[in-house]
């Protein structure tokens, strides 16, 4: 995947969410900092329910 493709889609997400950084985008979508959670097996970060659902429109 081209870096230009990634940057294009990040730019669209930034515009849609009103943020200007990847960290702010993660916070906006509800991803948590793994250092704030107790250690457990499985994924280190999880989105809040429904955070990534956009009805197919980005």
């Amino acid at each position: 995947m081209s870096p230009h493709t990634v940057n294009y889609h990040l730019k669209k997400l930034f515009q849609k969410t009103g943020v200007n950084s990847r960290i702010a985008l993660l916070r906006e979508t509800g991803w948590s900092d793994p250092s704030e959670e107790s250690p457990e097996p499985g994924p280190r970060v999880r989105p809040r329910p429904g955070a990534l659902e956009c009805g197919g429109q980005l």
Side-chain angles (χ1 to χ4, degrees), residues 10-58:
L10 282 172
K11 180 180 174 182
K12 292 295 185 179
L13 287 168
F14 293 163
Q15 290 173 346
K16 183 172 184 172
T17 58
V19 299
N20 59 6
S21 73
R22 292 179 186 206
I23 297 297
L25 182 62
L26 289 173
R27 289 181 181 140
E28 182 70 20
T29 57
W31 287 71
S32 60
D33 183 348
S35 65
E36 296 176 358
E37 297 179 12
S38 61
E40 61 184 45
R44 294 193 51 137
V45 293
R46 294 178 277 309
R48 71 175 181 255
L52 301 177
E53 295 174 10
C54 61
Q57 299 174 355
L58 291 178

